[in-house]
């Protein structure tokens, strides 16, 4: 990107639960204007002013744009080098913004985990973003940075230390603690509603290679784990991981976008560890019940209405205490190209969805605005768009650790 613009970054959605955390992080880390020119964006000036009083100061500018008003979106994107958006559900509010960013020739990052919408954006805009060099990067939060950057890191380590690639990687969630926001629950409901109504959406969600172009949807991976099984890699009972249907597709898209740098026979899957023996198995079975209920609740049904009452409404989310005390610990069981085993770990220091995701998203935005990156444009994944530069930022600033042993 060549333009000089008024701002490096606009955080759009700064009045929402996660956008507020992103703004708070940026202000604490980079001040109002210490080498980074950034602004808070939203649709409601009064709300934005209130949040700015709480998390920053008057030196941070405010920008108004509404997702339904294309002119306001274009006016906003023309003022900045990068848009960092937490306005979701993205399928509802995000499409015009992606188009505007490509039109204005700037970079973009978000926290989207809505695979059906990412698929739509890829089909509509990948080629034009590729031509003009705009990096449009979805999934810059817990889904899917730890998985996507974890696999990228492993491949770099395997190459550097052994001169070969990892052929098979099994990611296992060993420990996790956090909560959910109303915005995330609304986004999950949006995906499920669309999948129940539209067979094509259902097909995209259930296709392991659903984020690759039609003629590149091949490989040995099967659909994500749906039941509790004994896992030889971790020597434990494992069950479904709710983010796997997003993460695994993002990792496979990274392989495709990087000209199959992980190999055409690369295999990747994810699961949650529940423990050994009888109790591990029972724990796994009990843990799958809520996931099963959420997934099967039909839009408009009594079950769905009942579930809605149990979750926060948009704008609300976990307490500060819950976010501070949260964490995650992901293990990667690796089979290298020559058959040898290796092991890697990725950890995060706050709750995955908000404390950690807000830092990952903010650092992605700074990386897109400030770092020297490959000129590749398109609808990209975090690892393909930002690679080593993002890895350094995640370790240095965002509380993530990456380790590799063979
Ligand atoms: N991938 C991950 O790991 C991850 C983690 C966290 C969140 N997320 C995703 O991030 C998104 C936001 O979650 P959240 O909990 O922060 O949601 P939220 O609290 O409901 O915030 C949504 C924001 O969107 C704004 N907004 C709504 N409609 C708008 C419109 N028409 N034009 C402009 N702005 C509009 C809201 O503005 P007002 O304040 O004016 O209403 C608010 O600022 C969700 O899609 C969620 O799934 C993903």
């Amino acid at each position: 990107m060549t333009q000089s613009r008024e701002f490096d970054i606009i955080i759009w959605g700064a009045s929402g639960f996660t956008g507020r955390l992103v703004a708070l992080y940026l202000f604490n880390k980079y001040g109002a204007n210490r080498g980074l020119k950034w602004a808070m964006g939203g649709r409601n000036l009064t709300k934005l002013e209130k949040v700015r009083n709480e998390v920053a100061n008057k030196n941070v500018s405010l920008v108004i744009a509404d997702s339904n008003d294309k002119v306001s979106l274009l006016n906003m994107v023309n003022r900045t080098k990068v848009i960092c958006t937490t306005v979701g559900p993205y399928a509802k509010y995000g499409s015009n913004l992606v188009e505007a960013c490509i039109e204005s020739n700037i970079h973009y990052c978000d926290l989207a985990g809505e695979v059906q919408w990412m698929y739509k954006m890829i089909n509509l805009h990948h080629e034009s973003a590729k031509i003009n060099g705009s990096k449009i990067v979805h999934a810059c939060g817990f889904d899917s940075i730890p998985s996507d950057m974890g696999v990228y890191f492993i491949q770099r380590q395997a190459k550097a230390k052994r001169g070969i690639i990892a052929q098979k990687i099994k990611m296992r969630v060993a420990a996790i603690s956090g909560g959910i926001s109303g915005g995330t629950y609304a986004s999950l409901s949006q995906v499920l509603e669309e999948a129940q109504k539209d067979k094509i959406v259902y097909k995209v969600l259930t296709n392991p290679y659903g984020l690759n172009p039609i003629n590149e949807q091949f490989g040995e991976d099967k659909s994500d784990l749906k039941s509790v099984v004994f896992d030889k890699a971790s020597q434990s009972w494992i069950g479904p991981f709710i983010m796997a249907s997003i993460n695994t597709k993002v990792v496979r898209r990274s392989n495709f976008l990087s000209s199959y740098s992980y190999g055409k026979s690369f295999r990747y899957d994810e699961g949650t560890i529940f423990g050994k023996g009888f109790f591990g198995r029972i724990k796994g079975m009990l843990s799958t019940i809520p996931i099963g209920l959420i997934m099967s609740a039909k839009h408009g049904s009594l079950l769905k209405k009942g579930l809605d009452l149990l979750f926060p409404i948009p704008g609300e989310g976990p307490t500060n205490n819950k976010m501070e005390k949260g964490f995650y610990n992901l293990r990667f069981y690796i089979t290298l190209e020559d058959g040898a085993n290796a092991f890697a770990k990725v950890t995060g220091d706050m709750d995955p969805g908000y404390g950690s995701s807000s830092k990952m998203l903010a650092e992605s935005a700074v990386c897109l605005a400030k770092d020297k990156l490959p000129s590749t444009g398109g609808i990209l994944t975090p690892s393909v768009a930002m690679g080593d530069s993002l890895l350094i930022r995640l370790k240095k600033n965002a509380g993530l650790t990456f380790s590799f042993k063979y």
Side-chain angles (χ1 to χ4, degrees), residues 12-20 41-44 47-48 65-68 73 85-90 92-93 110-114 139-144 180-188 243 246 313-317 352-354 357-358 360:
W12 194 51
S15 57
F17 186 79
T18 320
R20 181 185 187 280
R43 60 176 167 174
N44 180 324
K47 255 187 165 178
L48 273 182
D66 191 295
S67 70
N68 301 312
L73 291 177
T85 169
T86 58
V87 175
Y90 293 91
K92 226 169 160 180
Y93 306 124
D110 70 21
L111 286 176
E114 295 156 48
C140 293
F142 183 59
D143 36 305
S144 299
I180 185 167
S181 74
T184 298
Y185 181 64
S187 298
L188 179 62
M243 302 302 181
I246 306 158
I313 56 168
E316 293 179 358
Y354 306 95
S357 283
S358 57
M360 290 188 265

Side-chain angles (χ1 to χ4, degrees), residues 263-290:
K264 284 209 169 173
S265 50
F266 174 68
R267 299 196 62 176
Y268 182 73
D269 68 77
E270 297 191 344
T272 305
I273 293 179
F274 290 110
K276 298 180 191 300
F278 176 72
F279 288 108
R281 189 176 189 180
I282 295 295
K283 194 175 158 198
M285 287 168 148
L286 292 175
S287 304
T288 56
I289 295 172

Side-chain angles (χ1 to χ4, degrees), residues 5 18 42 62-63 101 113 141 197 206 228 238 250 276 328 357 370-371 375-376 382 384:
R5 301 265 173 131
T18 320
L62 303 180
V63 177
C101 287
K197 285 184 181 156
T206 51
V228 176
I238 62 164
V250 169
K276 298 180 191 300
Y328 51 93
S357 283
K370 290 288 184 185
D371 294 349
S375 58
T376 334
V384 170

Side-chain angles (χ1 to χ4, degrees), residues 93-105:
Y93 306 124
S95 303
N96 288 337
L97 180 66
V98 169
E99 198 178 332
C101 287
I102 298 169
E103 241 177 272
S104 179
N105 210 17

